[in-house]
Amino acid sequence: MSSLARARSVALAVAWRGIHNAFTNPAFLLPSVMFPLFFFMAFAGGLSGIQNAPNFEFKSGYSSFQFAFVCVQAAAFGGVFTGFAIAADFEFGFARRLLLAAPNRGGIVIGYMISAMVRAAFVIGVVFLAGLISGMRIDGSIGDLLALLVMALGVSAVATLWATGIAMRLRTMQAAPLMQMPIFILLFLAPVYVPIELIVGWVHDVAQFNPATAFLEAARGFVSGEPDKVGVAAACVVGLGALAALWARGGLRSAERAG
Amino acid sequence: MSALASSAMPAQVGLLAGRAVRHIIRQPAQVVFPIVFPLVLLAVNSSGLDAATKLPGFPTTDYLDFALAVPFMQGALFAALNGGQDLARDIEGGFLDRLALTPMSGPALIAGQLGGALFMGVVSALIYLTVGLLIGSGIAAGFGGALVLLALAVTISFAFACLGTFVALRAGSGQAVQGFFPLFFVLLFLSSAFFPRNLIEQDWFREVATYNPVSYLVEGIRSLVITGWDGQALAQAFGIAALMIAAFLALSAWALRTRLVRT
């Protein structure tokens, strides 16, 4: 069996286990669905009045504006929740047995990443349906929506690699805040409620250089049928993905050394 | 004879409250996160939602003034969560069972436990107010208003701590208390915490916010920052907090009796 085939078989086995656990245990599934759904409801419902502010321009309406944010958020948090699962696997001893048994350990990380992406796609699908039922307007084509999904899956992969690096280094659930807080802060230092032009103060300065801004602006472009900043978003996914892969690889090495 | 056995109720409360406070201080995560997180959100929201102040009918020209009430509520929610978790840990670890073998009275146990939450409520309210003033917010009701604001914030924090105590006593597990955490946040997000009720466009959301008691707690604090002295807003906020305290203290006492019978 070639190295690639071994990695593939490990990745598929780990992915299947992750997907099975995520979809058969309501305690795992509900938070990852309810949180984005709730944010969508709370932001699109409670803050929609802000679209009447001067210079707020987004033709598809505030629900669509927030849907784009929730897509990116669901994708990123799909990765974070997978990091929690990895930490729990270490606490229960399963991850150590997995490290011993797997003929290709890189496949373990890829497997976790696949399960996070499936989870994110499911959550985005649920939020999309909820949005459509509540009257959300989508001006983007099927191609735009597929591009949005691909970008979200890329974000999910980056977040999973980030969380994997932490989970494999610290190997405890107590590391959960370390996995989620940086991502939470990164997301909220981006144009969450209004377009970037309407943000004031230091958050505006930070948002200009925040990769999450590129993800949000590209996502909103896809939703409104006027793709924007797609190249920047793609470059951010690739660049951050490469850095996060190195980070996850270091985590894997650390877990291997710990035995 | 142990200190517990010979002591009267105030001393028992003092012993347990001291333990709860020490427990909080020794866990930096319990102090830093509940204080820093609401302040980060305050900074983010006051920049991100400042455009809302341009809307006709928005009650202030600076969103920071509008948003300053939110950290106090978030701090109260964290107090409920942390206090509840500490108590649940005591239940899971058997500390409560051992206490049941001593002359410690039930009310003293609850009051002592709440002492830790009250301590966190006071500390975090002072920090939120100080930071708010330092970054440019003002208190329309003046110095006296700031004192009333602190009193209201601590009362609200105590009310939510009573809720956390009840959940912990009823469920007896830290995981169950954690499970309630999202529910607390749902209450906050489905209120008028981030947008004035009269400007909420969606009817269903405005309706939910109107029936959500958290809206009135937030509006009570906000009235002191933006309006000045608003008797109705303050009466509603203090009234709801007092009702919560009475209800959840009674429920906690009942849950404690049930739990001690079980053990």
Side-chain angles (χ1 to χ4, degrees), chain A residues 35 38-39 41-54 62-63 181 184-185 188-189 193-194 198-203, chain B residues 33 37 40-41 43-52 54-56 63 182 185-187 189-190 194-195 199-202 204-205:
Chain A
F35 271 110
F38 170 69
F39 270 108
M41 206 170 73
F43 288 175
L47 302 175
S48 60
I50 203 168
Q51 67 187 321
N52 302 321
Y62 200 69
S63 292
M181 277 314 287
F184 193 87
I185 290 172
F188 276 85
L189 289 177
Y193 310 113
V194 291
L198 297 187
I199 299 178
V200 297
W202 64 272
V203 176
Chain B
F33 185 71
F37 183 72
V40 170
L41 266 189
V44 169
N45 286 345
S46 53
S47 296
L49 286 167
D50 192 68
K54 309 281 190 304
L55 293 170
Y63 193 83
F185 264 79
V186 167
L187 282 174
F189 275 92
L190 293 183
F194 302 98
F195 224 65
L199 294 183
I200 294 174
E201 282 190 335
Q202 306 281 342
W204 70 267
F205 196 103

Side-chain angles (χ1 to χ4, degrees), chain A residues 172-216:
Chain A
T172 164
M173 275 299 283
Q174 284 178 317
L178 271 181
M179 294 180 220
Q180 68 180 346
M181 277 314 287
I183 289 188
F184 193 87
I185 290 172
L186 208 64
L187 279 176
F188 276 85
L189 289 177
V192 175
Y193 310 113
V194 291
I196 192 166
E197 301 79 34
L198 297 187
I199 299 178
V200 297
W202 64 272
V203 176
H204 178 264
D205 301 332
V206 174
Q208 281 182 313
F209 300 100
N210 183 350
T213 301
F215 300 144
L216 289 183

Side-chain angles (χ1 to χ4, degrees), chain B residues 170-251:
Chain B
R170 194 77 195 109
S173 110
Q175 217 173 353
V177 177
Q178 278 279 1
F180 268 83
F181 188 58
L183 182 67
F184 294 159
F185 264 79
V186 167
L187 282 174
L188 179 65
F189 275 92
L190 293 183
S191 72
S192 56
F194 302 98
F195 224 65
R197 268 187 290 151
N198 57 318
L199 294 183
I200 294 174
E201 282 190 335
Q202 306 281 342
D203 293 339
W204 70 267
F205 196 103
R206 196 172 47 248
E207 199 81 3
V208 170
T210 301
Y211 287 107
N212 183 350
V214 171
S215 292
Y216 299 96
L217 297 174
V218 172
E219 287 166 13
I221 296 176
R222 185 174 288 150
S223 70
L224 291 161
V225 179
I226 294 177
T227 319
W229 294 102
D230 180 341
Q232 189 188 351
L234 287 176
Q236 282 172 335
F238 273 109
I240 288 171
L243 271 177
M244 282 178 70
I245 291 171
F248 291 116
L249 272 184
L251 285 168

Side-chain angles (χ1 to χ4, degrees), chain B:
Chain B
M1 189 182 263
S2 72
L4 275 179
S6 62
S7 58
M9 182 152 152
Q12 293 178 356
V13 174
L15 279 171
L16 282 177
R19 174 180 175 270
V21 170
R22 279 193 299 279
H23 199 251
I24 291 171
I25 293 170
R26 285 172 187 163
Q27 296 181 86
Q30 273 210 23
V31 181
V32 176
F33 185 71
I35 289 173
V36 171
F37 183 72
L39 290 175
V40 170
L41 266 189
L42 173 68
V44 169
N45 286 345
S46 53
S47 296
L49 286 167
D50 192 68
T53 58
K54 309 281 190 304
L55 293 170
F58 200 86
T60 172
T61 53
D62 188 350
Y63 193 83
L64 175 65
D65 291 338
F66 185 82
L68 187 60
V70 180
F72 293 98
M73 280 308 307
Q74 284 171 329
L77 297 178
F78 281 122
L81 178 76
N82 288 339
Q85 271 212 300
D86 280 349
L87 181 56
R89 199 175 301 123
D90 282 348
I91 295 169
E92 286 175 316
F95 180 73
L96 196 77
D97 295 344
R98 294 197 295 280
L99 269 189
L101 299 173
T102 70
M104 174 73 72
S105 74
L109 175 73
I110 296 174
Q113 188 64 37
L114 287 169
L118 197 62
F119 166 76
M120 263 313 287
V122 172
V123 170
S124 53
L126 276 170
I127 292 176
Y128 299 144
L129 182 62
T130 308
V131 171
L133 293 175
L134 285 176
I135 59 175
S137 187
I139 305 293
F143 180 72
L147 293 179
V148 174
L149 190 155
L150 283 175
L152 179 55
V154 173
T155 310
I156 292 171
S157 198
F158 189 70
F160 276 93
C162 292
L163 169 59
T165 300
F166 167 63
V167 172
L169 283 169
R170 194 77 195 109
S173 110
Q175 217 173 353
V177 177
Q178 278 279 1
F180 268 83
F181 188 58
L183 182 67
F184 294 159
F185 264 79
V186 167
L187 282 174
L188 179 65
F189 275 92
L190 293 183
S191 72
S192 56
F194 302 98
F195 224 65
R197 268 187 290 151
N198 57 318
L199 294 183
I200 294 174
E201 282 190 335
Q202 306 281 342
D203 293 339
W204 70 267
F205 196 103
R206 196 172 47 248
E207 199 81 3
V208 170
T210 301
Y211 287 107
N212 183 350
V214 171
S215 292
Y216 299 96
L217 297 174
V218 172
E219 287 166 13
I221 296 176
R222 185 174 288 150
S223 70
L224 291 161
V225 179
I226 294 177
T227 319
W229 294 102
D230 180 341
Q232 189 188 351
L234 287 176
Q236 282 172 335
F238 273 109
I240 288 171
L243 271 177
M244 282 178 70
I245 291 171
F248 291 116
L249 272 184
L251 285 168
S252 297
W254 165 74
L256 179 66
R257 270 199 305 276
T258 316
R259 182 154 290 283
L260 291 181
V261 166
R262 271 188 232 155
T263 55

